[in-house]
Amino acid sequence: MRLQQGHEQPALSAIRRALQSVDDMPGKLRLLPAAVEITLAVGSADDAWELCETLHDCARQYSADAVRAAAAEATARVLIHAGRAAEALAHIRRAVAILWDLRAPYHLARMRVLTARACLATGDTEAAQTELDEAIRLFRELGARPDEAVAGKLRVTMTATGSEVLTPRQTQVLRLIASGLTNPEIAGELGLSQRTVDRHVSDILTRLNVRTRAAATAYAVEHGLIGMDVSG
């Protein structure tokens, strides 16, 4: 939580103190995944590698599915940080397969964000956008607001310009939303089914990481996706 709030150094100090205060392996297992993530964000890459190796030692000792998934995720994070994103994807797939069997939707959503980071690092922007859109949707359904906000910020900032956030059709739909049209009216205007328009509107809210049509309009105006001369 401290890391997500931007309190990076306190987060690092807190996780280090916590690790030093536990001697038993189960206690360390609860802390090591977070320790890797925080250390990569604030500390040194060498320290993160060392923590990752400790987590793998735990996985070999306990052979529990959840521990193996955590070790694979930690390895992927360290590899992405080291500029080896293509290698990281194999570890991500391994973690996802385990988490899917464990039916762990929150962790699967986090893995989608990690996949997006790896895809972005390898130049596959389209795949990264798709993964982030799905992660944002899942976080929203789960009520994981801090994670949704982090994923939403990455979704916005990963593109070079604001116009790339939406597809041309979605931008067209957003302009009509900003003009005050309802979904049935937009469907008639564009010659689309109402179901298609409903899906476009839902996707627009997800991609812009907002909850209402008014907020989507305000965001679009602020970021230059549409002009200022909108009504409604």
Side-chain angles (χ1 to χ4, degrees):
M1 288 180 63
R2 289 182 178 179
L3 182 64
Q4 289 184 344
Q5 292 168 350
H7 303 151
E8 297 178 343
Q9 199 58 50
L12 181 61
S13 299
I15 198 67
R16 284 176 173 172
R17 286 197 304 272
L19 281 171
Q20 291 171 356
S21 68
V22 295
D23 297 322
D24 62 300
M25 193 60 69
K28 289 185 180 296
L29 279 174
R30 288 192 292 270
L31 298 171
L32 282 169
V36 172
E37 188 173 354
I38 294 169
T39 302
L40 283 174
V42 190
S44 74
D46 289 341
D47 288 344
W49 274 115
E50 185 176 340
L51 290 167
C52 190
E53 285 300 322
T54 302
L55 188 52
H56 275 284
D57 289 341
C58 294
R60 285 188 287 269
Q61 181 175 346
Y62 285 89
S63 69
D65 287 343
V67 180
R68 291 191 296 111
E73 178 183 349
T75 301
R77 290 187 182 279
V78 175
L79 287 171
I80 293 172
H81 185 82
R84 297 158 59 185
E87 295 178 53
L89 286 168
H91 294 276
I92 291 172
R93 286 191 291 270
R94 189 173 301 120
V96 167
I98 297 170
L99 292 169
W100 184 266
D101 290 339
L102 292 175
R103 294 179 174 83
Y106 171 73
H107 291 288
L108 283 168
R110 280 174 52 87
M111 292 308 299
R112 284 191 175 276
V113 176
L114 193 60
T115 302
R117 293 185 184 278
C119 289
L120 186 62
T122 60
D124 192 347
T125 304
E126 183 176 352
Q129 292 173 345
T130 300
E131 292 292 335
L132 278 176
D133 287 345
E134 183 63 14
I136 291 168
R137 184 187 68 79
L138 290 170
F139 286 139
R140 185 170 294 166
E141 289 182 355
L142 293 168
R145 304 306 182 206
D147 294 275
E148 179 187 342
V150 170
K153 288 178 181 178
L154 178 60
R155 180 65 178 82
V156 172
T157 59
M158 67 182 288
T159 52
T161 64
S163 61
E164 294 175 348
V165 174
L166 301 178
T167 66
R169 174 63 87 180
Q170 289 168 343
T171 301
Q172 189 177 26
V173 170
L174 181 55
R175 289 194 182 101
L176 295 175
I177 291 174
S179 298
L181 272 63
T182 64
N183 285 12
E185 290 170 337
I186 293 172
E189 181 75 18
L190 299 179
L192 302 172
S193 69
Q194 185 172 337
R195 175 179 290 184
T196 298
V197 172
D198 291 344
R199 187 178 69 251
H200 279 314
V201 172
S202 177
D203 288 344
I204 288 168
L205 296 181
T206 296
R207 289 190 175 215
L208 298 184
N209 193 33
V210 297
R211 301 185 184 284
T212 66
R213 297 161 76 96
T217 300
Y219 179 99
V221 171
E222 179 182 353
H223 290 79
L225 274 71
I226 58 176
M228 294 293 292
D229 57 338
V230 294
S231 62

